[in-house]
Amino acid sequence: MKITPVSEHVGAEVSEIDIRRLTDGDTATLLQAWGQHGVLFFRDQELTPDDHITFAERFAPIDVNKFFQPVETHPQIAQVLKEPDQLGNIGGGWHTDHSYDQIPAKGSILLAREVPPEGGDTRFLSVAAAYDALSDGLKATLETLSAHHTNVHIFGAGSKHMDKADNRLQNPENVGSAIHPVVIKHPTTGQKLLYVNLAFTTRLISADGHEWTEEESRPLIDYLLGHTAEGGFDYQFSWDEGSLAMWDNRSTWHWALNDYQGHRRLMHRITIAGEALSAAAS
Ligand SMILES: [Fe+2]
């Protein structure tokens, strides 16, 4: 197997590998590379749904998403689908998956089944690099803060987002919220990671547990989002049928570009379970 970094801050392409036939040594090498690069890309993989599940379970148990239509024959796999007549897409903005869960998913393993002739790329970025680029003063302040994450405004009853993405499962009674440190420590690499995102982070909480209002929180959250999105910490991946990306939900953000109107795009996603997050300062 060959592992080639694809950008300065995030991502590596893994080649000369058939992920249906991994040894335990291969898995250990991939885990190490995953921690180092945040997202790993594979091309030309011929996977059945069962192969996809077997690959995912090498890294962690599957964490079934409550808001996606499952693949009919394999409920562990979520179907991320945009039909030619749909305008909105799923994941069309910088975010990380499942930050509204008490124990957010470790990562997602996305396999391209049908891709548009052009467009439909996914951007990824490193929130480790985003954290590192902040001043020591702001880092020290952020390490004392927590943030509230929720999906009520996206998946809850009456959300305009659910109208746009009508291939998503309507499941408003399963919405959820969680509080996480603003700067977390990666559970395996120990890297410090900026853990706020555009989709789900709504307000800040001080070290002694007192809540900021949303109005007070917004400028600082927006500064951090802008710094992260615009800092040059990103890489854009172009999919072919049989491409697979596995990303770490703690150390990266991703954004599915919606630039292929009139074409169908079908991806199969498996999300795998993570561990409780701890503060970088602890
Ligand atoms: Fe996502």
Side-chain angles (χ1 to χ4, degrees), residues 186-262:
H186 191 278
T188 56
T189 67
Q191 273 181 312
K192 291 183 178 183
L193 309 170
L194 191 55
Y195 197 69
V196 292
N197 69 85
L198 176 64
F200 305 120
T201 311
T202 52
R203 63 179 190 273
L204 299 167
I205 300 164
S206 68
D208 57 6
H210 288 104
E211 301 259 352
W212 298 29
T213 66
E214 287 196 20
E215 190 183 8
E216 291 163 343
S217 306
R218 206 65 251 166
L220 179 50
I221 293 174
D222 284 345
Y223 172 75
L224 296 173
L225 299 179
H227 163 82
T228 304
E230 306 300 331
F233 314 120
D234 62 308
Y235 171 73
Q236 183 167 322
F237 180 68
S238 296
W239 302 86
D240 299 303
E241 201 181 299
S243 299
L244 181 143
M246 58 187 290
W247 64 83
D248 186 311
N249 272 319
R250 291 78 52 98
S251 63
T252 64
W253 284 358
H254 56 280
W255 172 357
L257 297 179
N258 186 16
D259 57 355
Y260 54 97
Q261 301 302 356

Side-chain angles (χ1 to χ4, degrees), residues 11 13 38 46 49 52 61 70 80 83 88 93-94 115 120-121 131-132 146 154-155 172 180 191 234 252 267 269 278:
E13 188 150 336
E46 293 181 15
H52 190 187
V80 181
E83 294 284 11
W94 283 120
V115 296
D121 292 359
Y131 174 81
D132 288 344
S146 298
I154 296 186
F155 303 138
H180 301 298
Q191 273 181 312
D234 62 308
T252 64
M267 315 293 275
R269 192 180 96 175
S278 57

Side-chain angles (χ1 to χ4, degrees), residues 154-174:
I154 296 186
F155 303 138
S159 162
K160 63 182 191 321
H161 297 273
M162 293 304 280
D163 294 341
K164 276 197 312 189
D166 53 349
N167 278 318
R168 220 159 357 188
L169 215 54
Q170 305 284 324
N171 199 359
E173 65 280 6
N174 261 320

